[in-house]
Amino acid sequence: MPQDTKGPEFESLNLSYDSDKHRFNFSAKITDDISGVKFAYIYLKTPSNENYNYSASLRYNSQTSLYEGYLELNEYAEKGEWKIWHVYTGDNAENTNTILDVYSKLNPTGNLIVGNTEPTYSISTSKSEVDEGSSLSTIVNTANVDPNSILYWS
């Protein structure tokens, strides 16, 4: 019987965000040369890189022949593009494999973008016409703009 000395390998990885369910979905093709895949995990980091406490376990789906999983988020989850911190797999012979540079080594498809990340601006005024000597209020509404940004208009 051959000896198993190599951990499982990710052959592909797909990422998506389901805004209706507030969750990330993952699917991957993972193979092991001899003993079979025992577990697979994906670890994420938030857009601000301040929180690394998010992970998802992937389970084999015999109907799709892929390992699939998801990560539920709440309505307060940080907006922006989340990133994979690393992936970790193990086989039935206790071999493991950790991939840190996921984006260059696996080239995953899809993304983990929560909410609209493009900055948007809208400007409105309190009056449509102003008489000389009267005052006018201008209201600027922004979304996805860095709070330290300085806005200019003329």
Side-chain angles (χ1 to χ4, degrees), residues 128-148:
S128 60
E129 294 182 22
V130 180
D131 294 326
E132 187 175 347
S134 297
S135 64
L136 170 75
S137 296
T138 303
I139 302 162
V140 178
N141 292 307
T142 64
N144 301 315
V145 176
D146 184 332
N148 297 317

Side-chain angles (χ1 to χ4, degrees), residues 16-73:
S16 66
Y17 175 66
D18 184 335
S19 59
D20 293 332
K21 294 182 180 179
H22 297 288
R23 74 181 199 182
F24 293 127
N25 295 305
F26 309 99
S27 63
K29 183 172 183 184
I30 306 171
T31 58
D32 186 67
D33 58 349
I34 299 175
S35 66
V37 178
K38 185 175 182 178
F39 62 84
Y41 294 98
I42 295 178
Y43 296 87
L44 304 177
K45 56 185 174 179
T46 58
S48 64
N49 291 326
E50 292 181 7
N51 193 334
Y52 292 77
N53 293 327
Y54 293 92
S55 64
S57 175
L58 304 182
R59 303 281 182 227
Y60 186 70
N61 181 336
S62 59
Q63 294 179 347
T64 62
S65 299
L66 297 172
Y67 286 81
E68 300 173 343
Y70 62 89
L71 174 64
E72 297 270 351
L73 300 173

Side-chain angles (χ1 to χ4, degrees), residues 10 12-16 24-29 42 58 66-67 69 84 106-112:
F10 273 79
S12 67
L13 177 60
N14 185 55
L15 319 168
S16 66
F24 293 127
N25 295 305
F26 309 99
S27 63
K29 183 172 183 184
I42 295 178
L58 304 182
L66 297 172
Y67 286 81
I84 298 173
L106 298 180
N107 195 24
T109 58
N111 63 58
L112 300 173

Side-chain angles (χ1 to χ4, degrees), residues 69-82:
Y70 62 89
L71 174 64
E72 297 270 351
L73 300 173
N74 64 35
E75 66 269 25
Y76 307 108
E78 188 175 337
K79 305 284 189 265
E81 186 170 11
W82 292 53

Side-chain angles (χ1 to χ4, degrees), residues 119 121 123 140 142 144-154:
Y121 308 87
I123 299 174
V140 178
T142 64
N144 301 315
V145 176
D146 184 332
N148 297 317
S149 294
I150 300 172
L151 302 176
Y152 298 94
W153 72 88
S154 58

